[in-house]
C-alpha cells in the first residue's frame, strides 16, 4: 500500500492536499497521505457521534470479541505492520517488531478488561439517612473520545487509547502525528475488518494545531486523550474547559546506581534504556546518578556497552541505532551536547551527527543548569553524574520539573524502598531502568509529565462516567 487515505465513517477520504511521508533516515518516500481541513475533521466527529450510540449498545462480549479479533489479525500481520512503523518513524526494525508485539498485548488486555467493566454496590445504610436504600454504580461510556498521539510509538500508544476507548463503549476520532500516520490508517481498516461498527474509529491526518483545536473545542467530543510534548499538553489542558483530558507527557528520567548494585545487570539495562529508538522514548534514561565510589567503573563499562550498538538503516534487522525523526531534531540534540560541553561537561563517547543520525553520546560531570540536565532531550544521550549520599541522589532525581518514572539499582531493600517513597514520580522501578513498561500496568506522570493513567484497566476508568442508581425499597 503506497497511499493512505483517511478513514471517516468507514470510507476512504482524500483531499486536494496530498503529502509524502518520508523515511526519517534518508528522506525516501514511504507513502502518501492527505491533509484534513476543518470539513474532514467535522465529518469525522459527526461519524463518531453517530456511531457512539451504536457502540454504547454493544455488549461487553461483542466489544471484547472485536478487540480480540484485532489482536489476532495484528499478530498475523506482524511483519507488514512492523515495516510500516519502522518506515514512518525510523525506528530499527527489531524495535518496530517489539512495538507490534506490545500493541497486540495492549489489544489483548483491552479485550480482557471489556469483560470486567462493572460498577460496585454502594453501602447506603452505612449512613443513618441511607436506611432502606440500595444503590449501585454503573460505568457508562463518555461518547466520542478524541485521541491525539505522538510520533515515537505510533502504533502502541494509539492502541493504548483506542483499545480502552472501544472496550468502554466509546467511538473515537484519532489524530496521529503528521510524520507517522501510516500505521493509524492501517489499524482503522483492520478494526473495520474485525467487525467494528462504521464510524466507531475514524482517522484524520494533518496538522496538530488545527485538527487538535477543532477536537478540543467541538462539544460532541467528550474527552481528549493526548500523548505528546508538555508544551502541547498544557495548551490542550488550558483550552479544554470541562472536557475530560488525560495527558501523557515527557520526562528527563533518572536512575540511581548505588555502590552495592549488580553492575553486570545495571550497565546493559542502562545502555538499552538510554538509546532505544535513539532516546526518543518518554521514559528514556537521560540522567544516571552513580555513587562516587563506583562512578569510574560504571562509566567505563557503560561507554564500552554503548560502543557495541550498531548504527544503520532502520530496515536492516541488525541495526540498534537509527535516525532521529528529522535532521532538525538531530541538530537540536547536537547543539544541546555542545552547550553541555561548553559549560564544563566531558563528552566521554559519541555525539557525532551525520544527517538525522547521532552516535550514542555519553556525558559526565554535567552541570545542572544545562538543557541536557533539566529539559527532555529526546535524543541518544545520557548524563552520568556522581553523588556521595543516597539523600543527595534522591534530591538530584527530584530536582526536575518532570516526574514520569525513575529507578534505583541496589541490593539493599531498605535503601530501595526509602527511594521509592521519596522520589516524586508516577512509577518507581527497583533494580530496573525507568524505561521499563509492560502494557497492563498503570502508567503516567506527575508534575509536568502529565495527568491521568494509561494501561487498559486504568484508561477505561478515565474513559467512563460513573452513574449512581439508588432504589428505595
Ligand atoms: P508533539 O509535538 O506534542 O505532538 C504530539 C501530537 O500532538 C501530534 O499528533 C501533533 O500533531 C499533535 N499536536 C501538535 N500541536 C497540537 C495542538 N496545538 N493541539 C493538539 N494537538 C497538537 O509531540 P511529539 O514530538 O510527536 O512526541 C514527542 C513527545 O511526546 C515527547 O515530549 C515525549 O516525551 C512525549 N511522549 C510521552 C509519552 C507518555 O506516555 N508519557 C509517550 C510517548 C511520547 P502534528 O504531528 O501534526 O504536529
Amino acid at each position: 500500500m503506497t497511499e493512505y487515505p483517511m478513514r471517516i465513517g468507514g470510507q476512504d477520504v482524500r483531499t486536494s492536499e496530498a503529502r509524502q511521508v518520508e523515511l526519517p533516515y534518508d528522506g525516501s518516500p514511504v507513502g502518501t497521505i492527505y491533509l484534513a481541513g476543518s470539513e474532514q475533521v467535522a465529518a469525522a466527529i459527526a461519524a463518531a457521534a453517530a456511531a457512539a450510540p451504536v457502540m454504547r449498545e454493544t455488549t461487553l462480549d461483542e466489544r471484547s470479541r472485536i478487540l480480540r479479533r484485532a489482536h489476532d489479525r495484528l499478530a498475523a500481520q506482524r511483519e507488514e505492520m512492523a515495516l510500516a512503523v519502522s518506515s514512518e518513524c525510523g525506528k530499527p526494525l527489531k524495535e518496530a517488531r517489539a512495538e507490534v508485539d506490545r500493541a497486540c498485548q495492549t489489544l489483548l488486555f483491552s479485550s480482557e478488561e471489556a469483560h470486567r467493566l462493572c460498577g460496585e454496590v454502594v453501602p447506603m445504610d452505612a449512613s443513618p439517612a441511607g436506611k432502606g436504600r440500595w444503590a449501585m454504580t454503573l460505568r457508562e461510556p463518555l461518547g466520542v473520545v478524541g485521541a491525539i498521539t505522538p510520533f515515537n510509538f505510533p502504533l502502541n500508544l494509539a492502541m493504548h487509547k483506542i483499545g480502552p476507548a472501544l472496550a468502554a463503549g466509546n467511538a473515537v476520532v484519532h489524530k496521529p502525528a503528521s510524520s507517522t500516520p501510516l500505521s493509524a490508517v492501517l489499524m482503522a481498516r483492520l478494526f473495520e475488518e474485525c467487525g467494528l461498527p462504521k464510524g466507531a474509529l475514524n482517522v484524520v491526518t494533518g496538522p496538530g494545531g488545527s485538527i487538535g483545536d477543532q477536537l478540543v473545542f467541538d462539544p460532541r467530543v467528550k474527552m481528549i486523550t493526548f500523548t505528546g510534548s508538555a508544551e502541547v499538553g498544557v495548551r490542550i489542558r488550558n483550552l479544554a474547559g470541562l472536557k475530560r483530558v488525560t495527558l501523557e507527557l515527557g520526562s528527563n528520567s533518572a536512575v540511581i546506581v548505588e555502590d552495592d548494585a549488580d553492575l553486570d545487570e545495571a550497565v546493559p539495562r542502562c545502555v538499552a534504556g538510554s538509546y532505544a529508538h535513539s532516546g526518543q522514548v518518554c521514559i528514556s534514561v537521560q540522567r544516571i546518578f552513580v555513587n562516587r565510589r563506583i562512578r569510574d567503573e560504571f562509566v567505563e563499562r557503560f561507554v564500552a556497552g554503548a560502543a557495541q550498538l550498531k548504527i544503520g538503516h532502520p530496515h536492516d534487522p541488525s541495526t540498534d541505532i537509527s535516525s532521529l525523526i528529522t535532521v532538525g531534531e538531530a541538530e537540536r540534540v547536537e547543539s544541546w551536547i555542545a552547550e553541555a560541553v561548553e559549560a564544563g561537561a566531558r563528552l566521554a563517547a559519541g555525539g557525532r551527527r551525520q544527517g538525522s543520525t547521532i552516535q550514542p553520546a555519553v556525558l559526565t560531570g554535567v552541570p545542572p543548569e544545562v538543557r541536557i540536565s533539566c529539559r527532555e532531550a529526546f535524543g541518544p544521550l545520557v548524563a552520568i553524574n556522581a553523588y556521595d549520599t543516597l539523600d543527595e541522589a534522591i534530591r538530584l532525581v527530584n530536582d526536575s520539573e518532570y516526574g514520569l518514572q525513575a529507578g534505583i539499582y541496589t541490593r539493599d531493600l531498605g535503601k530501595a524502598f526509602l527511594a521509592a517513597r521519596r522520589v516524586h514520580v508516577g512509577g518507581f522501578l527497583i533494580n530496573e531502568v525507568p524505561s521499563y513498561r509492560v502494557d497492563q500496568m498503570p502508567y503516567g506522570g506527575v508534575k509536568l509529565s502529565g495527568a491521568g493513567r494509561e494501561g487498559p484497566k486504568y484508561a477505561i476508568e478515565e474513559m467512563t462516567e460513573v452513574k449512581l442508581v439508588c432504589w428505595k425499597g
Side-chain angles (χ1 to χ4, degrees), residues 193-204:
E193 289 160 13
C194 294
L196 188 70
K198 286 201 185 338
L201 173 59
N202 308 276
V203 176
V204 280

Side-chain angles (χ1 to χ4, degrees), residues 31-100:
T32 303
I33 60 155
Y34 297 89
L35 302 190
S38 62
E39 191 189 325
Q40 290 73 40
V41 181
I45 296 172
V54 179
M55 280 304 291
R56 190 188 172 93
E57 292 306 317
T58 52
T59 64
L60 299 181
D61 176 56
E62 285 164 340
R63 294 175 205 167
S64 180
R65 281 177 195 274
I66 291 168
L67 286 159
R68 178 69 204 220
R69 281 198 288 271
H71 160 275
D72 294 347
R73 199 169 274 246
L74 180 57
Q77 295 175 12
R78 181 179 191 247
E79 278 307 300
E80 182 192 341
M81 193 60 81
L83 192 60
V85 167
S86 175
S87 299
E88 61 186 346
C89 74
K91 73 173 49 170
L93 198 53
K94 56 179 150 184
E95 289 187 25
R97 287 181 180 138
E99 179 171 350
V100 178

Side-chain angles (χ1 to χ4, degrees), residues 145-205:
V145 171
I148 304 175
T149 51
F151 76 83
N152 60 336
F153 285 87
L155 177 64
N156 192 35
L157 295 179
M159 291 310 104
H160 267 286
K161 301 183 181 314
I162 293 165
L166 298 178
N170 295 296
V172 179
V173 178
H174 177 205
K175 194 231 110 41
S178 290
S179 47
T180 58
L182 308 187
S183 52
V185 171
L186 293 175
M187 283 309 294
R189 289 172 170 276
L190 183 149
F191 267 109
E192 287 162 21
E193 289 160 13
C194 294
L196 188 70
K198 286 201 185 338
L201 173 59
N202 308 276
V203 176
V204 280
T205 49

Side-chain angles (χ1 to χ4, degrees), residues 108-234:
L108 190 59
F109 288 127
S110 299
S111 165
E112 290 168 352
E113 288 303 329
H115 283 162
R116 292 192 269 267
L117 185 60
C118 61
E120 60 187 17
V121 173
V122 183
M124 295 300 281
D125 62 1
S127 167
K131 187 158 191 254
R133 272 78 169 177
W134 295 79
M136 62 184 169
T137 59
L138 306 177
R139 280 207 167 263
E140 297 191 331
L142 300 177
V144 178
V145 171
I148 304 175
T149 51
F151 76 83
N152 60 336
F153 285 87
L155 177 64
N156 192 35
L157 295 179
M159 291 310 104
H160 267 286
K161 301 183 181 314
I162 293 165
L166 298 178
N170 295 296
V172 179
V173 178
H174 177 205
K175 194 231 110 41
S178 290
S179 47
T180 58
L182 308 187
S183 52
V185 171
L186 293 175
M187 283 309 294
R189 289 172 170 276
L190 183 149
F191 267 109
E192 287 162 21
E193 289 160 13
C194 294
L196 188 70
K198 286 201 185 338
L201 173 59
N202 308 276
V203 176
V204 280
T205 49
S210 51
I211 294 178
D213 275 2
Q214 206 172 335
L215 286 175
V216 172
F217 287 130
D218 194 299
R220 291 169 294 179
V221 178
K222 303 300 179 194
M223 174 185 188
I224 299 291
T225 167
F226 172 82
T227 300
S229 61
E231 188 189 2
V232 175
V234 169

Side-chain angles (χ1 to χ4, degrees), residues 226-238 247-251 376 401-402 447-450:
F226 172 82
T227 300
S229 61
E231 188 189 2
V232 175
V234 169
R235 183 174 189 277
I236 290 174
R237 174 76 277 172
N238 289 339
L247 301 173
E248 301 290 342
L249 311 178
S251 196
E376 178 183 41
E401 56 187 352
Y402 300 103
K447 301 195 269 184
L448 207 48
S449 291

